[in-house]
Amino acid sequence: MHKIFTLCLLLVAAATFAQQPGNDAEYVKQNYTKYEYQIPMRDGKKLFTSVYVPKDQSKKYPIMMDRTCYSVAPYGTDKYKGGLGPSSLFLHDGYIFVYQDVRGRWMSEGIYQEMTPELEVHKTNKDIDEGTDTYDTIDWLIKNIPNNNGKVGVWGISYPGFYTTTALLSRHPALVAASPQAPIADLWRDDGWHNGAFFLVANFGFYPGFTNRQDDKPTQRRARGFDSGTEDGYEFFMRMGPTRNTNDKYYKDTIRLWNEMLDHPDYDQHWKDRNVLPHLHDIKTAVLVTGGWYDAEDLYGAINTYKTLVQKNPATPVYFAMGPWVHGGWSRGDGDHLGDVDFGAPTGPYYREKIEFAFFSHYLKGTDLNIAKVNTFETGVNQWKTYKTWPPKEAEDKNLYLLSNGKLSFAAPSATTNSYEEFISDPWHPVPFINGIDMDMKREYMTGDQRFAARRPDVLTWQTDTLANDVTIAGNIWANLKVATTGTDADWVVKVIDVYPDSAKNNKWTGKDVYMSGYQQMVRSESMRGKYRNNTGHPEPFVPGKVAPVNFELQDVLHTFKKGHRIMVQVQSTWFPLIDRNPQKFVDIMKATEKDFQKATHRVYTSKQNPSFLKVRVMQ
């Protein structure tokens, strides 16, 4: 059977990934009564809401709410979810659980907007956004659901993480705790584009399965998704051709949200309006922001939601948890490995009990709380670390220089010659982002062995000598490249890699025909569409042959490169089909045709005159 894109369905599951031991489904039916309501909003629209109330009415309960665009299913008061809340711990402790279809989705009224623009001023009842919808929902629940204790907590993962962030903007006094988990913060920067490079495979697979309605008519109908007819994503997208062919060959301009993506490749007002971060001020609600170091979708959202909340709300209790997880990985399973990489022990259960459950229990039920403001898992040594701030104040800025002859060093280049490394980038033979066959954005690429890429002539590689001591990087990484190209546009992909010693042994997760000896584990990676190097809203071409700076953020890590390992950096210009292909000609890539694509020679300079380096934060 051919693979049908399932990202949408995975995200649906991620939004409600309560831990469900075999008896949880039966426990829900025995101990909770389900109700369904159409809750009126201030503009007259009604939002479909499922409410699960404990049958034991001898005491009052706080409310835990999840607002979602992925359906509150199953529908019907006689049909129950198999689990409730962020984890099984909440189900058995006793809460009133609320699930709501957001405006314009599934059984709720209204027209759906992607990443609903949030408003600073609400002058009339027609000035609505997710903040006002949340306020009106909480207000109705507090006044109409019996035996609630007047306290509300909100949680959600991925898109529901965004709705959790926007719940903060309701500023309702009953909202005392919220946990945005892998929240989308800025769609252009999270799921859509990474510094202007379009994330092709993830988005192409997502929208057909997401688009079950495009009008204001409530429905329980599910979308059909897209059947690619193959398991081989690399070949499928190569045969498809330029990105415009997604419509010419397949979607035929039938998906409004897809067309919005293609119509706005620049970071224009359309996307600025959908950036929630500028609105995160005057927040009084306690917040736990959660993310995964290996979240391929919304790493940016988790990190920057936390940083923005702390910066703009210094008096508000804001907590931060980051573990070795994929998108939503903390909410289910053990979290003890990813692909071939072993994390030493389960990490998910620790988070669910000692951090998430403890946080909500304290603010909603008054239990003791003894967690640090920052709880982060240090990969490489596989240890939980706590800090007062993130990044840790103990981390010191250092430059890691790309030198001639493939050397990588904290010592700056001294050669006076204008040295460089160069390669030919051919968009008709792009570098794959995984060493294998898959039709989706395979999550294991975040830690995958990069030896397959290092052996290609269109991937440049630098590495340190064998480390004499551990080196721990904590915080964001900035690539500072000096480059030149024979074309007028180019993508730049930078990967930071932990090279294992030859003596490394396989672990119980090591894949078939894989050896950890010499393994090149990706630690962090990022792409940059070169025409946005100076301004993401106003692209500009390269001047062929002219040296130009290309600087961009690779986002945060907490990773120790152990003694005996090496640090490696790879630079390439294609990463397919994770990102779409750049024609290497200054054009609107969403409208490019086959004839626009051309080979180009790219240079990365390594000299004293034009140094290329990574700015990293090294723990002292």
Side-chain angles (χ1 to χ4, degrees), residues 25-44:
E26 190 61 31
Y27 186 91
V28 172
K29 293 179 181 179
Q30 291 177 353
N31 293 276
Y32 288 83
T33 303
K34 182 184 179 184
Y35 301 90
E36 293 180 340
Y37 303 99
Q38 290 280 4
I39 298 181
M41 300 294 104
R42 65 190 63 187
D43 66 342

Side-chain angles (χ1 to χ4, degrees), residues 320-516:
F320 188 43
M322 290 290 289
W325 304 308
V326 297
H327 194 59
W330 50 90
S331 66
R332 79 277 188 191
D334 290 333
D336 50 3
H337 75 287
L338 178 58
D340 305 311
V341 178
D342 187 356
F343 301 136
T347 59
Y350 172 81
Y351 164 79
R352 292 191 289 270
E353 179 181 358
K354 302 299 183 182
I355 299 176
E356 180 183 55
F357 184 69
F359 168 80
F360 278 112
S361 296
H362 173 73
Y363 286 102
L364 295 175
K365 293 191 173 184
T367 60
D368 292 338
L369 184 65
N370 184 27
I371 61 174
K373 285 296 180 66
V374 176
N375 295 266
T376 51
F377 188 85
E378 185 175 321
T379 55
V381 293
N382 297 334
Q383 296 176 355
W384 282 100
K385 297 292 179 68
T386 59
Y387 302 100
K388 295 181 179 179
T389 61
W390 183 265
K393 292 182 178 179
E394 301 88 341
E396 178 180 300
D397 283 347
K398 289 190 175 183
N399 293 340
L400 192 56
Y401 291 94
L402 313 183
L403 304 180
S404 58
N405 299 318
K407 294 290 186 180
L408 186 67
S409 175
F410 286 106
S414 57
T416 56
T417 57
N418 200 17
S419 57
Y420 57 83
E421 305 288 340
E422 70 177 16
F423 63 97
I424 297 173
S425 176
D426 183 356
W428 295 107
H429 297 89
V431 180
F433 80 102
I434 57 172
N435 185 26
I437 303 299
D438 204 278
M439 194 62 227
D440 292 328
M441 182 173 64
K442 191 173 183 179
R443 62 188 186 179
E444 287 82 3
Y445 93 87
M446 297 287 282
T447 57
D449 187 357
Q450 299 302 301
R451 280 178 284 198
F452 77 97
R455 291 164 182 159
R456 286 183 59 117
D458 49 357
V459 177
L460 301 180
T461 300
W462 292 264
Q463 63 179 330
T464 63
D465 293 332
T466 301
L467 298 176
N469 299 287
D470 288 357
V471 175
T472 302
I473 298 178
N476 61 348
I477 299 171
W478 273 88
N480 295 261
L481 305 180
K482 298 295 191 302
V483 304
T485 177
T486 57
T488 51
D489 193 12
D491 291 344
W492 303 93
V493 178
V494 174
K495 299 185 290 191
V496 179
I497 296 163
D498 186 340
V499 182
Y500 290 28
D502 292 339
S503 59
K505 304 299 183 184
N506 286 3
N507 60 68
K508 63 181 178 179
W509 309 114
T510 305
K512 182 181 179 182
D513 297 326
V514 175
Y515 295 92
M516 303 309 290

Side-chain angles (χ1 to χ4, degrees), residues 59-86:
K59 55 185 176 181
K60 295 182 181 294
Y61 299 92
I63 294 172
M64 282 290 289
M65 181 167 66
D66 176 22
R67 303 186 68 242
T68 180
C69 55
Y70 297 126
S71 175
V72 304
Y75 297 97
T77 55
D78 61 334
K79 296 180 175 61
Y80 284 66
K81 287 182 174 292
L84 297 174

